């Protein structure tokens, strides 16, 4: 596991990421009263840009914290 992507999303966003190669696990949580998910992934298999694109297509992307 090379890092985590923190982004605001709901179950639709989680579903958009779960099928991507390189996604290890997704943990739900809250930050500043907003639902967020921490995404653990392998950077050798997937880029942040690819994950962001998947979340934008699902309509759930609001931002990224490394």
């Amino acid at each position: 596991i090379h890092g985590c992507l923190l982004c605001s999303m709901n179950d639709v966003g989680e579903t958009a990421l779960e099928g991507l190669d390189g996604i290890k696990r997704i943990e739900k949580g809250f930050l500043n009263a907003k639902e967020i998910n921490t995404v653990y992934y392998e950077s050798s298999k997937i880029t942040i840009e690819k994950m962001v694109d998947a979340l934008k297509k699902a309509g759930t992307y609001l931002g990224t914290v490394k």
Side-chain angles (χ1 to χ4, degrees), residues 19-25 39-43 45-46 51:
L20 298 176
D21 188 36
I23 300 296
K24 293 297 184 184
R25 75 177 188 273
V39 181
Y40 295 89
Y41 64 96
E42 286 187 60
S43 62
K45 293 186 177 183
I46 191 166
M51 290 183 278

Side-chain angles (χ1 to χ4, degrees), residues 2-47:
H2 293 287
C4 62
L5 172 74
L6 198 64
C7 55
S8 179
M9 62 180 139
N10 53 27
D11 289 338
V12 174
E14 184 176 355
T15 301
L17 293 178
E18 282 182 330
L20 298 176
D21 188 36
I23 300 296
K24 293 297 184 184
R25 75 177 188 273
I26 300 169
E27 295 179 356
K28 291 185 179 189
F30 289 90
L31 178 66
N32 297 327
K34 291 184 180 179
E35 182 183 351
I36 59 161
N37 286 337
T38 301
V39 181
Y40 295 89
Y41 64 96
E42 286 187 60
S43 62
S44 63
K45 293 186 177 183
I46 191 166
T47 64

